[in-house]
């Protein structure tokens, strides 16, 4: 009688061993074997991280193995079992690999195909076609779209983390408990001792140092020492945690009536302001999105304020970007003066603080929440709904969707919900952040997620003109490495554009993203279908880059750049000044966050800047969803390209007082998971 050797690998996520009955069924082209019992309760198989082997004898030749089925039946109590993979050695000595990397819960069963990636057209037998269809039907019932707020990208239909499918939950829910993490962060930073003085003001800038944790040779300490300087202010638009807003100014907007007389002392080339604009030396950051957004009113004891500044910047002879004019509102007028570097010290400093505060709000809600977290969740849901596990694009994308739906669900549960943690310290809490996302959706376009295209559209693509834009330089390198990897995988499975057009699962995936994620808005520019391999490569690069590199660039620098409170105030407690010459140091300190909000803010930026336990970084794919040699070779090439980028960035950063490392691949997690 033919005999098969079956090897079962259990994941380290599992803490003991399943005390259930476990059955295996092999299904071949020539029929189905009888059900085989692999494990009984108390046999101590399937321990955490174990690899167990079994000899399975069948009465007749099964032919080519099409599917295997694993069943778990309860003996005493319910437990979950994380199955990594199964390998089968056939009677003729062939080895078949069946990737799983899923939880088997309750008295459930899982049916697996061997690990060779297949497009829909590759399945010839009815049994494989049926398995493919049933898997998607099952997933579409589990992964349902839901509108969290009108105008938002749709998200997962789950009210809490515990309602999510087990396969996408965190292994340890406590690890992503925002309340617990923020509290621990404040304890670790020794700031919880200030919380009983929640609404009391600090005395002066030096007083903020009492809650500032000094870590030798860090960016955060350098920021604390140099935050007042115009160079530091301008540098952050290029390489801070929100390096996406600055654009080259091609025309001074009418709503910012800056004159040559105002800025002449800041210009260094003996040119007029108009000539500087024509030569490409003037840049602008406009916070128009904040205009009309309601400030946080959840605390009746503390009035909070927002502004919508416009900031004009100048590239000086050293090719450094410095501010030359700031208007704190969108409508010019006598009560909305244009502040200048030549103004009184505290006038100019407060104007810059208002810009930094506005930048913080845009960063948190638009750059970070909308354009990485929410967009990545759209990609994740669509992938689970429309791409079966055997599809090559599922295998390619699934590492980049790890824990994304879970972290977003937890955020909606605790962080950005009504009366959530976001309301405690942020002026855009209490609903302002919702208004911001709704307004920002009009600018969420496909082209704006194409990194090189967006950099060029802002006029920021010239290395010669703007030599210190490391976010651009490193981002381009990572984008190109990801795109090259995507192209390699595409050419393995799609031999022509026609094959791309005929892939009904790919087209359903793309349509789901457009219709549900982008709400079917034609102006978003998201494609409704993909017709060429070239377009597919770009599309996949957008997904993988957004979920990995873009999120890393705007997330993990939060403690570095925002922990010194005056450099990134999460709220302002006095309105913007309406005239010059009246600002005092006391007024500035009174405007800044009180002690309690400062502590919440510090805990938040610390917690959000930490990597997950056992983080997986870009190009590291321990779960072997692909089994084919050509794809493994493409992965090795990808890792080599990423290693070269790491070496280049490491060499550049040597001896730099302000190193830029957020887009170094060894610091880029594969997915949005924090």
């Amino acid at each position: 009688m033919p005999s098969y050797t079956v090897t079962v690998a259990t994941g380290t996520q599992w803490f003991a061993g399943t005390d259930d009955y476990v059955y295996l069924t092999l299904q071949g082209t020539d029929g189905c074997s009888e059900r085989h019992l692999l494990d009984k309760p108390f046999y101590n198989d399937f321990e955490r991280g174990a690899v167990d082997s079994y000899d399975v004898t069948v009465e007749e030749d099964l032919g080519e193995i099409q599917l295997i089925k694993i069943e778990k039946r309860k003996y005493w109590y319910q437990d979950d079992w994380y199955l990594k993979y199964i390998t089968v050695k056939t009677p003729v000595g062939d080895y078949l690999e069946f990737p799983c990397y899923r939880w088997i819960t309750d008295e459930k069963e899982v049916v697996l195909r061997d690990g060779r990636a297949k497009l829909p057209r590759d399945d010839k037998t009815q049994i494989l076609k049926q398995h493919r269809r049933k898997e998607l039907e099952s997933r579409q019932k589990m992964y349902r779209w839901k509108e969290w707020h009108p105008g938002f990208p749709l998200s997962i239909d789950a009210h809490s983390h515990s309602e999510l499918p087990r396969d996408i939950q965190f292994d340890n829910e406590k690890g992503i408990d925002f309340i617990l993490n923020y509290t621990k962060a404040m304890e670790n930073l020794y700031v919880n001792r200030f919380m009983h003085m929640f609404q009391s003001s600090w005395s002066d800038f030096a007083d903020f140092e009492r809650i500032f944790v000094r870590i030798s040779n860090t960016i955060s300490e350098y920021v604390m020492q140099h935050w007042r300087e115009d160079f530091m202010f301008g540098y952050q638009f290029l390489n801070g945690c929100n390096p996406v807003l600055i654009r080259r100014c091609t025309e001074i907007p009418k709503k910012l009536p800056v004159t040559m007389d105002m800025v002449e002392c800041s210009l260094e080339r003996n040119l007029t302001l108009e000539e500087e604009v024509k030569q490409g030396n003037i840049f602008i950051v406009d916070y128009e999105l904040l205009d009309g957004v309601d400030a946080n009113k959840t605390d009746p004891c503390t009035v909070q304020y927002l502004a919508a500044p416009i900031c004009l910047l100048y590239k000086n002879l050293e090719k450094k970007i410095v501010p030359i004019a700031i208007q704190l509102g969108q409508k010019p007028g006598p009560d909305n003066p244009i502040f200048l570097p030549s103004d009184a010290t505290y006038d100019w400093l407060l104007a810059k603080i208002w810009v930094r505060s506005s930048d913080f709000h845009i960063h948190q809600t638009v750059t970070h929440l909308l354009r990485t977290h929410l967009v990545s969740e759209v990609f994740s849901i669509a992938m689970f709904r429309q791409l079966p596990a055997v599809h090559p694009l599922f295998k390619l994308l699934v590492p980049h969707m790890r824990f994304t739906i879970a972290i977003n669900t937890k955020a909606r549960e605790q962080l950005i919900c009504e009366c959530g943690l976001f309301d405690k310290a942020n002026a855009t809490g209490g609903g302002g952040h919702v208004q911001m996302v709704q307004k920002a959706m009009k600018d969420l376009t496909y082209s704006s997620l194409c990194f090189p295209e967006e950099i060029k559209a802002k006029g920021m693509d010239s290395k010669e003109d703007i030599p210190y834009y490391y976010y651009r330089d490193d981002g381009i390198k990572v984008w190109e490495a990801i795109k090259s990897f995507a192209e390699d995988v595409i050419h393995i499975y799609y031999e022509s554009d026609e094959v791309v057009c005929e892939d009904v699962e790919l087209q359903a995936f793309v349509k789901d993203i457009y219709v549900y994620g982008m709400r079917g808005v034609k102006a978003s520019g998201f494609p409704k279908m993909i017709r060429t391999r070239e377009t597919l490569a770009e599309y996949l690069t957008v997904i993988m880059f957004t979920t990995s590199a873009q999120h890393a660039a705007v997330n993990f620098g939060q403690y570095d750049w925002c922990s010194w409170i005056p450099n990134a105030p999460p709220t302002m407690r006095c309105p913007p000044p309406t005239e010059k010459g009246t600002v005092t140091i006391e007024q500035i300190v009174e405007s800044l966050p009180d002690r309690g909000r400062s502590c919440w803010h510090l805990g938040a930026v610390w917690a959000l800047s930490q990597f997950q336990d056992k983080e997986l970084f870009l190009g590291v794919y321990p779960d072997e969803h692909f089994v084919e040699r050509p794809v493994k070779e493409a992965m090795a090439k990808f890792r080599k390209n990423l290693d070269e980028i790491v070496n280049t960035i490491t060499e550049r950063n040597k001896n730099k007082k302000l190193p830029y490392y957020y887009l170094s691949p060894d610091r880029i997690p594969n997915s949005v998971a924090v």
Side-chain angles (χ1 to χ4, degrees):
M1 290 189 293
S3 179
Y4 295 81
T5 301
V6 176
T7 303
V8 183
T10 297
T12 55
Q13 295 91 329
W14 177 234
F15 292 103
T18 179
D19 285 328
D20 298 330
Y21 291 96
V22 176
Y23 297 90
L24 170 76
T25 302
L26 298 175
Q27 188 161 359
T29 51
D30 297 337
C32 182
S33 81
E34 68 273 16
R35 192 171 176 230
H36 289 269
L37 178 64
L38 293 188
D39 185 45
K40 296 179 181 179
F42 314 118
Y43 266 45
N44 294 322
D45 283 2
F46 308 136
E47 295 283 348
R48 179 179 181 179
V51 178
D52 302 293
S53 291
Y54 307 87
D55 289 326
V56 174
T57 301
V58 298
E59 294 187 3
E60 56 183 320
D61 185 15
L62 301 175
E64 183 181 347
I65 299 298
Q66 300 273 288
L67 302 170
I68 61 173
K69 179 167 71 173
I70 289 284
E71 302 170 70
K72 183 171 73 69
R73 301 302 175 203
K74 186 176 91 170
Y75 170 69
W76 187 251
Y77 62 90
Q78 296 288 6
D79 57 1
D80 297 344
W81 173 36
Y82 188 82
L83 174 60
K84 289 176 64 179
Y85 61 82
I86 294 176
T87 63
V88 176
K89 182 183 178 183
T90 69
V92 296
D94 294 334
Y95 279 91
L96 300 175
E97 299 178 51
F98 294 82
C100 182
Y101 303 105
R102 290 164 54 187
W103 289 94
I104 303 179
T105 61
D106 303 326
E107 292 195 281
K108 297 290 178 63
E109 61 185 42
V110 59
V111 181
L112 303 174
R113 292 182 57 163
D114 78 82
R116 294 170 295 178
K118 301 289 184 183
L119 297 174
R121 70 170 194 157
D122 298 326
D123 286 344
K124 307 301 183 185
T125 65
Q126 196 60 37
I127 187 173
L128 294 180
K129 292 178 181 179
Q130 186 180 42
H131 174 260
R132 196 172 195 123
R133 186 179 69 252
K134 282 186 174 180
E135 181 183 4
L136 289 181
E137 288 174 352
S138 174
R139 291 236 216 100
Q140 287 164 12
K141 291 176 183 176
M142 289 191 292
Y143 296 86
R144 301 176 305 277
W145 295 103
K146 180 183 178 181
E147 181 181 73
W148 187 53
H149 282 295
F152 274 49
L154 294 193
S155 50
I156 196 73
D157 184 8
H159 293 96
S160 65
H161 178 268
S162 60
E163 291 182 12
L164 295 173
R166 184 66 181 89
D167 288 330
I168 61 169
Q169 291 182 24
F170 280 96
D171 301 330
N172 176 14
E173 190 176 349
K174 286 185 178 179
I176 48 97
D177 187 295
F178 287 105
I179 296 173
L180 184 64
N181 288 348
Y182 282 22
T183 304
K184 283 183 178 177
M186 287 188 284
E187 289 175 359
N188 293 337
L189 298 170
Y190 305 106
V191 298
N192 52 341
R193 65 190 187 278
F194 294 102
M195 290 304 293
H196 68 284
M197 301 179 286
F198 197 84
Q199 289 166 329
S200 61
S201 297
W202 302 94
S203 303
D204 51 33
F205 290 134
D207 207 12
F208 280 99
E209 291 193 46
R210 294 179 63 192
I211 68 162
F212 184 78
V213 178
R214 292 171 178 268
I215 304 172
S216 182
N217 298 319
T218 62
I219 291 173
S220 57
E221 189 163 349
Y222 192 90
V223 171
M224 182 194 72
Q225 294 166 349
H226 299 277
W227 71 282
R228 299 190 195 206
E229 298 170 16
D230 287 354
F231 157 72
M232 175 59 75
F233 179 87
Y235 180 86
Q236 292 180 71
F237 289 114
L238 300 176
N239 301 309
C241 60
N242 193 29
V244 303
L245 297 184
I246 189 169
R247 60 171 62 243
R248 199 183 296 269
C249 181
T250 55
E251 182 182 8
I252 304 293
K254 292 180 180 178
K255 63 182 180 180
L256 181 66
V258 176
T259 65
M260 180 63 182
D261 288 342
M262 292 179 182
V263 298
E264 186 173 10
C265 61
S266 297
L267 308 182
E268 299 179 351
R269 294 180 175 83
N270 294 319
L271 300 174
T272 66
L273 179 59
E274 289 74 17
E275 289 169 337
E276 294 278 18
V277 169
K278 286 180 181 177
Q279 290 203 5
N281 299 323
I282 303 295
F283 300 83
I284 192 167
V285 180
D286 189 347
Y287 297 93
E288 182 180 12
L289 185 83
L290 283 163
D291 193 32
V293 171
D294 295 329
N296 193 337
K297 295 181 177 65
T298 59
D299 180 1
C301 298
T302 302
V303 181
Q304 301 178 59
Y305 296 91
L306 293 169
I310 310 170
C311 182
L312 209 62
L313 301 114
Y314 176 62
K315 182 182 71 178
N316 63 21
L317 289 175
E318 294 180 320
K319 294 191 174 182
K320 293 179 180 178
I321 304 293
V322 293
I324 59 172
I326 294 171
Q327 182 176 282
L328 297 180
Q330 292 288 308
K331 296 178 181 177
D335 59 348
N336 187 20
I338 295 175
F339 292 92
L340 308 165
S342 55
D343 289 340
T345 300
Y346 292 136
D347 282 7
W348 182 234
L349 182 61
L350 182 57
K352 289 192 293 181
I353 289 172
W354 267 105
V355 172
R356 294 296 312 138
S357 182
S358 301
D359 195 79
F360 175 81
H361 296 311
I362 296 289
H363 166 262
Q364 288 290 342
T365 302
V366 179
T367 308
H368 184 208
L369 173 63
L370 172 60
R371 298 181 69 88
T372 63
H373 277 261
L374 299 185
V375 168
S376 295
E377 183 175 1
V378 166
F379 298 148
S380 298
I381 299 170
M383 181 197 73
F384 282 113
R385 286 175 53 83
Q386 303 298 350
L387 299 177
V390 73
H391 199 291
L393 299 189
F394 179 90
K395 294 172 180 284
L396 177 68
L397 295 177
V398 69
H400 300 284
M401 308 303 169
R402 181 174 178 256
F403 299 146
T404 297
I405 299 174
I407 195 69
N408 285 4
T409 302
K410 199 69 178 180
R412 286 187 288 268
E413 199 179 343
Q414 293 183 327
L415 184 61
I416 54 176
C417 56
E418 188 175 351
C419 302
L421 293 178
F422 193 82
D423 291 354
K424 287 186 178 293
N426 294 283
T428 52
H433 60 303
V434 173
Q435 296 173 12
M436 290 173 67
V437 170
Q438 291 166 335
K439 293 175 72 173
M441 279 295 289
K442 72 180 190 318
D443 297 318
L444 178 58
T445 62
Y446 177 75
S447 63
S448 72
L449 297 178
C450 294
F451 189 85
E453 197 172 329
E454 177 68 354
I455 292 289
K456 189 172 183 179
K458 287 183 163 68
M460 302 294 294
D461 52 316
S462 172
K463 277 190 177 184
E464 184 179 351
D465 283 353
I466 314 162
Y468 306 113
Y469 199 10
Y470 306 126
Y471 163 75
R472 171 202 60 205
D473 300 341
D474 298 351
I476 292 289
K477 291 186 178 76
V478 174
W479 172 276
E480 290 174 347
I482 292 174
K483 188 174 183 182
S484 175
F485 176 46
E487 288 170 341
D488 288 344
V489 173
I490 287 167
H491 282 81
I492 293 170
Y493 297 102
Y494 296 91
E495 63 264 29
S496 67
D497 292 345
E498 287 74 22
V499 179
V500 172
C501 292
E502 293 167 3
D503 185 348
V504 292
E505 291 168 349
L506 162 63
Q507 304 304 340
F509 169 63
V510 171
K511 186 177 179 181
D512 241 29
I513 290 172
Y514 172 73
V515 171
Y516 296 104
M518 298 305 122
R519 313 300 298 267
V521 177
K522 190 174 181 180
S524 71
F526 272 78
K528 298 177 186 177
M529 72 173 296
I530 302 286
R531 292 182 170 85
T532 67
R533 293 188 293 178
E534 182 182 359
T535 307
L536 178 57
E538 181 184 73
Y539 194 84
L540 296 174
T541 305
V542 165
I543 294 173
M544 292 190 285
F545 186 88
T546 301
T547 57
S548 59
Q550 188 60 35
H551 178 256
V554 303
N555 182 74
F556 294 105
Q558 291 189 74
Y559 185 79
D560 287 347
W561 296 100
C562 303
S563 57
W564 179 244
I565 307 290
N567 189 59
T571 189
M572 297 290 276
R573 296 178 298 142
C574 295
T578 56
E579 57 181 328
K580 295 187 181 186
T582 63
V583 178
T584 63
I585 183 64
E586 290 78 16
Q587 182 182 343
I588 293 178
V589 173
E590 194 64 30
S591 296
L592 290 169
D594 55 43
R595 294 169 189 261
R597 287 179 174 82
S598 296
C599 295
W600 270 109
H601 170 80
L602 201 59
V605 297
W606 172 271
L608 291 171
S609 299
Q610 307 307 305
F611 294 121
Q612 285 285 347
D613 290 340
K614 301 177 184 177
E615 189 68 84
L616 298 175
F617 294 96
L618 190 59
V620 178
Y621 305 125
D623 292 356
E624 296 188 57
H625 292 275
F626 283 109
V627 301
E628 298 98 318
R629 181 179 296 276
V631 187
K632 292 186 175 183
E633 290 172 351
M635 286 180 176
K637 174 187 167 186
F638 182 39
R639 283 191 290 271
K640 182 181 178 183
N641 289 341
L642 295 175
D643 288 342
E644 290 173 359
I645 296 171
V646 171
N647 294 336
T648 300
I649 292 173
T650 302
E651 187 64 30
R652 181 197 66 209
N653 283 337
K654 280 183 179 177
N655 303 317
K656 273 191 178 296
K657 292 179 180 178
L658 279 174
Y660 186 82
Y661 43 69
Y662 309 116
L663 281 169
S664 183
D666 58 345
R667 290 173 178 249
I668 299 175
N670 274 328
S671 62
V672 176
V674 66

